[in-house]
Amino acid sequence: AAGAMFLGLAALWFLFVLFTHYFFRDPDPRVPTDANALVSPAHGKVDVIDESAEPEFMGGPCRRISIFLSVLDVHVQYAPAEGRVTFFKHKQGQYLNALRTDCASVNENVLLGFAPTGRPNDKVGVRLVAGVIARRIVPWAAAGDEVARGERISLIQFGSRVEVYLPRSAKIKVRLGDKVVGGETVIAAFE
């Protein structure tokens, strides 16, 4: 009986190790070369596209694309545009389920603001949102950093949400329900 119990525990441990390795995978994105393209900062499913207001970095009305990351998605995030990180703010908060599209306003999050290279009048914001399981956001970019489009900027551990804030003039290239690949899928473009 002890041998069978040991084998059962060993099998569970092995499955946990495999899942953890799978969860923390970090593929290299195939970054598009179009200078006007804005790539998805996250792997996941687009579940909100709307007009919003983001006062902290965008300074008011903007376009928003929200992406839900399930526990099966890659959880590394990428810079949507080449440029400089000009804003960084970490906000403590709750840990509501990231399936809720309204969780970004109350959950723990990090807001990164980007000034795209060659576009002095445009801003792009990325909000990294913790969820009920995701209790840790690990930013790798800080204010003042220069980043390339598709460069790794953070990791959110276990199921979460990423919101992208764009100028109202940006042309949206994705639709509700689209599966996007971080660092690769063009979600919008500057016109």
Side-chain angles (χ1 to χ4, degrees):
M5 187 171 154
F6 173 77
L7 285 176
L9 289 174
L12 282 175
W13 179 83
F14 182 71
L15 288 174
F16 175 76
V17 168
L18 283 178
F19 173 77
T20 302
H21 183 68
Y22 176 76
F23 180 85
F24 287 105
R25 67 199 184 281
D26 185 6
D28 289 325
R30 294 186 313 269
V31 183
T33 57
D34 179 1
N36 290 326
L38 295 162
V39 297
S40 176
H43 291 69
K45 182 180 178 182
V46 175
D47 63 355
V48 175
I49 299 172
D50 66 5
E51 297 280 330
S52 185
E54 196 298 301
E56 293 180 295
F57 174 67
M58 298 299 286
C62 59
R63 306 202 67 190
R64 176 178 67 154
I65 300 173
S66 191
I67 302 162
F68 173 72
L69 292 70
S70 79
V71 294
L72 300 178
D73 288 312
V74 171
H75 280 68
V76 173
Q77 288 77 52
Y78 308 84
E82 177 181 344
R84 179 181 297 274
V85 178
T86 58
F87 186 89
F88 180 104
K89 182 176 181 183
H90 177 253
K91 177 182 157 197
Q92 296 291 336
Q94 299 178 45
Y95 296 100
L96 300 179
N97 190 328
L99 273 169
R100 292 180 51 168
T101 59
D102 64 342
C103 72
S105 62
V106 294
N107 279 17
E108 178 171 349
N109 67 79
V110 170
L111 178 59
L112 295 169
F114 297 87
T117 300
R119 302 201 63 91
N121 298 322
D122 290 317
K123 298 177 181 180
V124 176
V126 174
R127 188 179 304 274
L128 312 165
V129 184
V132 69
I133 299 172
R135 298 276 176 144
R136 187 156 183 234
I137 300 170
V138 183
W140 296 326
D145 288 356
E146 292 284 342
V147 294
R149 182 186 314 116
E151 183 176 328
R152 291 164 178 85
I153 57 170
S154 66
L155 168 71
I156 306 175
Q157 297 177 355
F158 300 110
S160 47
R161 177 171 294 280
V162 172
E163 292 196 337
V164 184
Y165 305 107
L166 303 166
R168 293 167 79 187
S169 60
K171 175 80 172 147
I172 303 295
K173 301 287 188 179
V174 289
R175 293 186 300 237
L176 288 175
D178 283 359
K179 287 288 287 177
V180 292
V181 176
E184 288 186 25
T185 304
V186 175
I187 60 169
F190 290 123
E191 294 290 297

